[in-house]
Amino acid sequence: PITVGNLRKGVAMTDSLHPTVPQWYIMFSQAPITTRFASTGAPFHSSGAEHLIGVRYTTDGKWVFDCGSWPEIPNPEFEFTPANTDVLVAYVDFSNISNSRSLQGENDVLYGISRGYYFGDLQFRPNWWNGRENTGEVTVTGSFFVRNA
């Protein structure tokens, strides 16, 4: 099993992006987010999950992550190159929360990143942060998942 590390208050995301780009994935990074993406200079939310971050694939063919900074910054998306250990563990649709789901049981590759996992105890709650409703964030509970073979 892969442990997801300290979930802190959740996956911090930038609310102002959601009206124009509401579909996101929650990605697991083996390296802590702040270490892996330190070279970008992104101002990460200090209470965001240690190994999980909101990502999306852009219409111009690039993966970007949302640093989820607070206060919000004008350009919170930063391009990144996928690592072979990255896993998309959830899909979040802020325009229609009922479309949001865990990716447990799914098994494919989306533009170079493994999408889905075999089993785990992870649960995702969009529009929730630190134990209460908060539009645009995602609370995650659980501690592990098992990669697909």
Side-chain angles (χ1 to χ4, degrees):
I2 297 172
T3 58
V4 295
N6 190 340
L7 297 173
R8 298 187 178 112
K9 295 179 181 178
V11 177
M13 299 180 72
T14 306
D15 302 355
S16 61
L17 289 174
H18 301 154
T20 55
V21 284
Q23 288 86 25
W24 291 83
Y25 288 94
I26 303 300
M27 183 186 82
F28 168 81
S29 169
Q30 184 174 334
I33 298 302
T34 56
T35 302
R36 176 172 174 191
F37 299 125
S39 65
T40 65
F44 295 98
H45 195 295
S46 61
S47 296
E50 184 179 23
H51 290 271
L52 299 173
I53 192 163
V55 301
R56 70 182 184 92
Y57 194 73
T58 65
T59 55
D60 58 347
K62 299 174 185 171
W63 279 106
V64 294
F65 67 84
D66 175 355
C67 70
S69 66
W70 186 256
E72 289 188 5
I73 60 172
N75 299 300
E77 294 181 303
F78 295 80
E79 187 177 337
F80 74 96
T81 301
N84 64 359
T85 53
D86 291 340
V87 179
L88 301 173
V89 294
Y91 171 76
V92 179
D93 184 347
F94 289 105
S95 67
N96 185 349
I97 292 302
S98 66
N99 288 337
S100 301
R101 67 187 186 280
S102 163
L103 296 177
Q104 179 174 308
E106 296 189 32
N107 184 10
D108 64 358
V109 176
L110 183 66
Y111 303 109
I113 300 180
S114 294
R115 178 170 49 183
Y117 58 97
Y118 178 67
F119 176 78
D121 67 349
L122 302 178
Q123 295 184 11
F124 305 90
R125 187 170 185 180
N127 291 331
W128 206 258
W129 174 261
N130 194 28
R132 61 188 161 97
E133 189 172 346
N134 188 323
T135 302
E137 320 305 337
V138 180
T139 286
V140 182
T141 57
S143 63
F144 78 97
F145 70 95
V146 176
R147 286 185 70 115
N148 289 309

